[in-house]
Amino acid sequence: AGVAEAEAEEAASLASAALRPRFVFFLCEMMAIGLAFTVVEKFIFVFIIKELGGSQSLCGYSVAVNVIFEVPIFHFGDALLRTLGHEAMVLLSLLAYALRVFGYSCLQPHTVWALLALEPLHGITYALSWTAAVDKVKAEVPAAWQTSGMLLLNSAMWCAGRTAGSLLGGSFLQHGRAFGHSGGRALYLVAACASAGLIAAHVVITLLLRAAGQQPLLASPLAAAAAAGIEPLVAGGSAGRQEGWAAARVRTRDSDRE
């Protein structure tokens, strides 16, 4: 009976964490980012080769540039989390994505190699968003349910987001028109506008929450701990943030009840 009660309590703690409005918004935002990534991953080479006359070599070089610029951000991920927090990292990721796809829409056949100058932004977009997302799940989901929390994140970002991106992006690439353009140019203009719109919505909601005296949408666990009057230990990196994460969960639950 004791084991069953403990399991039921742990399951209830997962449901409490996963169904909080802020966490649901976080998963929806990650799904949108997964959709955005897919619009680039699945269709950028079609745009470069078929519409701009780029070479397959250029496409290969662009992948290499992508990976090279991810590495340092992942390496300094812990320092970035402590300095920027989840909120700023996700917003910077969306801003970098908006600039990147707007740049795609400006490419012409005679400037197609400028693609390589845009690809470092992928490192900012992917590395910042994924680092923040994984740490957010670790901060919000109870320790006994960390694997389930990562399953929720992967399902939102890489299953739902990627499926939606493939279906919507492919359909728009073939049939869509926007801003007087069609094909890849129109697709990436719409992607840039959608990313800018998500940034604006996120910022507006965060400002309204701050005006109401509550924590922002993706409040850093360390910031939330400080707001709760608890000084978390940060010297030990990820392990040292455990106290801050626990305080952040308490603080966020209290905010959600207000």
Side-chain angles (χ1 to χ4, degrees), residues 27-61:
L27 290 177
C28 289
E29 195 162 48
M30 290 303 107
M31 182 179 72
I33 290 175
L35 186 158
F37 285 161
T38 303
V39 166
V40 172
E41 291 173 359
K42 301 297 184 185
F43 305 113
I44 185 59
F45 294 159
V46 176
F47 176 53
I48 293 299
I49 294 174
K50 294 189 66 175
E51 298 187 35
L52 299 181
S55 67
Q56 294 178 353
S57 296
L58 171 61
C59 296
Y61 298 151

Side-chain angles (χ1 to χ4, degrees), residues 51 105 172 176-187 189-190:
E51 298 187 35
S105 73
F172 191 92
R177 289 188 63 85
F179 307 106
H181 299 285
S182 60
R185 198 175 306 282
L187 175 65
L189 279 170
V190 169

Side-chain angles (χ1 to χ4, degrees), residues 1-12:
V3 174
E5 289 178 359
E7 290 179 349
E9 185 176 343
E10 288 181 352

Side-chain angles (χ1 to χ4, degrees), residues 137-188:
V137 169
K138 192 171 184 179
E140 299 290 349
V141 175
W145 293 96
Q146 289 291 310
T147 302
S148 298
M150 286 303 301
L151 177 62
L152 289 173
L153 173 60
N154 279 281
S155 297
M157 197 167 182
W158 303 126
C159 294
R162 183 163 284 172
T163 299
S166 297
L167 294 174
L168 295 176
S171 178
F172 191 92
L173 187 68
Q174 185 172 5
H175 305 293
R177 289 188 63 85
F179 307 106
H181 299 285
S182 60
R185 198 175 306 282
L187 175 65
Y188 292 120

Side-chain angles (χ1 to χ4, degrees), residues 172-254:
F172 191 92
L173 187 68
Q174 185 172 5
H175 305 293
R177 289 188 63 85
F179 307 106
H181 299 285
S182 60
R185 198 175 306 282
L187 175 65
Y188 292 120
L189 279 170
V190 169
C193 292
S195 183
L198 182 56
I199 293 171
H202 189 127
V203 170
V204 168
I205 295 172
T206 292
L207 290 175
L208 291 174
L209 286 171
R210 286 184 181 277
Q214 298 186 28
Q215 290 294 305
L217 281 170
L218 303 181
S220 164
L222 299 180
I230 297 175
E231 183 66 28
L233 301 173
V234 298
S238 296
R241 287 200 299 273
Q242 290 296 334
E243 184 180 339
W245 288 335
R249 285 198 288 270
V250 172
R251 175 64 179 175
T252 308
R253 289 192 194 106
D254 291 342

Side-chain angles (χ1 to χ4, degrees), residues 40-127:
V40 172
E41 291 173 359
K42 301 297 184 185
F43 305 113
I44 185 59
F45 294 159
V46 176
F47 176 53
I48 293 299
I49 294 174
K50 294 189 66 175
E51 298 187 35
L52 299 181
S55 67
Q56 294 178 353
S57 296
L58 171 61
C59 296
Y61 298 151
S62 72
V63 174
V65 174
N66 285 348
V67 175
I68 288 170
F69 280 87
E70 289 173 8
V71 173
I73 296 178
F74 281 128
H75 178 74
F76 294 105
D78 193 68
L80 289 169
L81 283 164
R82 285 184 278 123
T83 303
L84 299 175
H86 302 143
E87 193 99 32
M89 289 177 72
V90 170
L91 289 175
L92 285 173
S93 169
L94 288 169
L95 177 60
Y97 178 85
L99 293 173
R100 181 187 180 197
V101 292
F102 180 74
Y104 290 163
S105 73
C106 296
L107 292 174
Q108 300 293 334
H110 63 281
T111 62
V112 67
W113 280 84
L115 171 71
L116 298 181
L118 296 170
E119 291 309 270
L121 291 171
H122 168 80
I124 299 173
T125 301
Y126 174 65

